[in-house]
């Protein structure tokens, strides 16, 4: 068929295994979005790569095993052709083509469509106004009875190391596509935990700076920056909790055997802990921000007290000089030889008394 001939040209791989680093934004060197198309029988990778239609025909002829196809940022024709080949629901295919979806797990008959947010920590020397702490991408996974189709977007969706780790454990891989879906979810959640632990260092640094002896009013932007990046991270973590919980309780679902549910239960427990950890971070940043604003207010009050104290001291010579500057004829001590030095002495004494009083009360 013309469609299959087009698909064969799109997904055909060299006879030697090609390693593609998806952390680089460039497209696959194969000339298409397909990174890998591999057949697994009894958990063992079969030698020789083949087009998707031949791989699927081979698996169904054997009556066991599955096909795992990995794609990176595919175009609509490529994914639509694969969707027709594997019988994917049109809505799921459209979702996989559009980025910026919330994490979710949908069922279409016996097929699972999963959207996961991938995250990566952006290393930096210090926080600046343009710093980016969390970089996100997307990973869509179609899981059927005899196939796994992964669609990655962004720089953190590479599954090459995960595939190699799974191939080193044929017993786990023999459990089928659901085991691959669990491994992908576990891999993504593991990255969440690493990013959450690293972000704690930034939060601790800002907290220490806020409670240092010197408080700068410009430090508020650092706290806001962390809260903004933490919100981006929470958008990847928190929405995944409920879909995983539903996946564990939904019945019946042929792909999800009791053994696989046990593995997913562990992933669900870990994502719940990370969600609680991010909530604690957010509450801590709120507290740090409130403490910072309170400290800025206290510093401003101290400055106002100093200004008021000095203004009160300067009011004494201003008042005395103002009275003697009215040029009335009958003024106290105006005709006395020592009247001028006496006035200066009274001004100096009054200012000194007020200064000592303000110092004693902590205003200066």
């Amino acid at each position: 068929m013309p469609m299959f001939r087009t698909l064969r040209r799109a997904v055909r791989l060299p006879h030697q295994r090609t390693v593609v680093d998806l952390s680089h934004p460039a497209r696959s060197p194969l000339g298409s979005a397909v990174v890998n198309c591999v057949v697994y029988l009894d958990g063992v990778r079969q030698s020789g790569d083949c087009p998707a239609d031949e791989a699927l025909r081979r698996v169904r002829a054997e009556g066991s095993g599955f096909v795992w196809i990995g794609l990176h940022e595919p175009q609509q024709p490529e994914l639509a052709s694969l969707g027709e080949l594997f019988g994917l629901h049109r809505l799921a295919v459209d979702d996989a083509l559009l980025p910026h979806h919330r994490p979710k797990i949908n069922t279409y008959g016996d097929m699972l469509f999963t959207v996961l947010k991938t995250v990566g920590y952006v290393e930096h020397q210090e926080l600046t106004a343009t710093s980016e702490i969390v970089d996100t991408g997307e990973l869509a996974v179609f899981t059927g009875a005899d196939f796994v189709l992964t669609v990655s977007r962004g720089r953190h969706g590479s599954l090459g190391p995960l595939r190699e780790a799974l191939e080193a454990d044929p017993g786990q891989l023999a459990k089928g596509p659901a085991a691959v879906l669990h491994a992908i979810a576990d891999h993504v959640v593991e990255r969440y935990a690493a990013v959450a632990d690293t972000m704690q260092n930034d939060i601790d640094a800002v907290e220490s700076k806020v409670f240092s002896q010197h408080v700068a009013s410009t430090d508020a932007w650092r706290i806001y920056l962390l809260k903004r990046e933490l919100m981006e991270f929470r958008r990847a973590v928190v929405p995944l909790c409920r879909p995983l919980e539903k996946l564990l309780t939904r019945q019946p679902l042929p792909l999800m055997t009791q053994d696989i549910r046990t593995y997913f239960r562990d992933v669900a427990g870990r994502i719940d802990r990370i969600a609680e950890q991010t909530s604690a971070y957010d509450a801590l940043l709120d507290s740090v921000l409130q403490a910072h604003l309170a400290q800025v207010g206290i510093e401003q009050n101290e400055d106002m007290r100093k200004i008021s104290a000095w203004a009160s001291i300067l009011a004494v010579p201003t008042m005395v000089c103002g009275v003697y500057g009215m040029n009335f004829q009958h003024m106290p001590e105006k005709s006395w030889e020592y009247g001028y030095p006496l006035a200066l002495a009274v001004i100096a004494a009054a200012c000194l008394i007020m200064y000592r009083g303000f110092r004693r009360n902590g205003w200066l």
Side-chain angles (χ1 to χ4, degrees):
M1 295 177 63
M3 180 193 70
F4 287 144
R5 285 198 298 269
T6 302
L7 180 63
R8 184 178 295 110
R9 287 194 298 269
V11 301
R12 186 175 299 277
L13 301 175
H15 292 292
Q16 294 183 351
R17 184 176 180 182
T18 304
V19 179
V20 179
D21 181 11
L22 292 184
S23 63
H24 193 278
R27 295 180 61 78
S28 167
L30 307 175
S32 73
V34 176
V35 177
N36 247 324
C37 178
V38 181
V39 174
Y40 296 93
L41 296 177
D42 296 326
V44 179
R45 179 190 179 113
Q46 301 302 296
S47 60
D49 298 318
C50 57
D53 54 341
E54 293 182 10
L56 184 60
R57 190 181 304 113
R58 180 178 177 182
V59 166
R60 291 179 177 175
E62 292 285 344
S64 62
F66 63 92
V67 183
W68 184 355
I69 300 178
L71 300 99
H72 179 61
E73 298 185 357
Q75 299 300 319
Q76 194 276 339
E78 291 175 296
L79 191 56
S81 298
L82 288 171
E84 186 174 350
L85 174 64
F86 288 96
L88 306 179
H89 198 281
R90 188 184 65 180
L91 292 177
V93 173
D94 292 341
D95 282 348
L97 287 169
L98 298 175
H100 310 301
H101 280 287
R102 285 170 58 89
K104 60 183 177 180
I105 301 177
N106 291 340
T107 57
Y108 296 93
D110 294 338
M111 187 202 76
L112 281 176
F113 174 64
T114 307
V115 176
L116 304 170
K117 286 284 188 180
T118 57
V119 299
Y121 182 82
V122 181
E123 296 290 343
H124 52 271
Q125 294 295 328
E126 62 177 353
L127 291 178
T128 65
T130 58
S131 290
E132 184 180 12
I133 300 175
V134 177
D135 185 28
T136 61
E138 281 188 16
L139 187 61
V141 185
F142 298 88
T143 312
D146 52 12
F147 67 88
V148 176
L149 184 64
T150 58
V151 181
S152 61
R153 296 184 181 278
R155 296 180 297 171
H156 305 285
S158 177
L159 297 177
L162 174 64
R163 186 189 289 264
E164 293 177 0
L166 277 173
E167 290 174 357
D169 186 7
Q172 184 69 11
L173 201 55
K175 296 177 181 178
V180 176
L181 177 59
H182 159 262
I184 293 173
D186 183 72
H187 171 73
V188 170
V189 172
E190 185 177 351
R191 294 293 297 271
Y192 290 169
V195 171
D197 291 340
T198 311
M199 285 190 71
Q200 185 172 5
N201 297 330
D202 290 321
I203 296 174
D204 291 342
V206 168
E207 185 180 15
S208 299
K209 189 175 182 63
V210 166
F211 290 102
S212 63
Q213 292 183 351
H214 175 69
V215 181
S217 59
T218 57
D219 287 340
W221 68 264
R222 300 178 187 272
I223 305 174
Y224 171 76
L225 175 64
L226 277 174
K227 283 185 66 66
R228 186 190 65 190
E229 294 297 308
L230 182 62
M231 181 181 296
E232 184 72 17
F233 183 44
R234 283 172 57 82
R235 287 174 182 169
V237 176
V238 176
L240 188 58
C241 298
R242 188 168 181 81
L244 281 174
E245 181 182 351
K246 287 185 176 180
L247 185 63
L248 292 173
T249 57
R250 185 174 296 167
Q251 295 286 351
L253 195 58
L255 287 174
M256 299 297 295
T257 62
Q258 190 59 40
D259 186 23
I260 295 298
R261 287 180 190 272
T262 302
Y263 287 103
F264 271 101
R265 190 170 292 109
D266 175 70
V267 174
R270 292 168 59 195
I271 196 70
D272 285 340
R273 288 193 296 271
I274 296 172
E276 292 173 358
Q277 189 176 3
T278 58
S279 297
Y281 287 168
D282 191 50
L284 177 60
L285 284 175
D286 283 337
S287 300
V288 170
L289 180 59
Q290 293 300 321
H292 172 72
L293 295 177
Q295 287 182 309
V296 170
I298 291 173
E299 283 199 348
Q300 290 176 344
N301 288 337
E302 291 179 353
D303 292 339
M304 287 302 298
R305 287 192 300 178
K306 291 178 180 179
I307 294 172
S308 300
W310 283 113
S312 300
I313 293 173
L314 292 175
V316 174
T318 301
M319 181 184 67
V320 174
C321 294
V323 170
Y324 277 90
M326 291 189 293
N327 296 322
F328 287 105
Q329 183 177 2
H330 301 287
M331 295 289 292
E333 313 300 340
K334 187 175 182 181
S335 300
W336 185 37
E337 181 181 359
Y338 299 105
Y340 181 69
L342 178 62
L344 293 180
V346 170
I347 292 174
C351 291
L352 180 61
I353 292 172
M354 293 182 68
Y355 177 79
R356 290 175 63 98
F358 285 130
R359 288 278 294 182
R360 186 165 50 250
N361 293 328
W363 282 50
L364 290 175

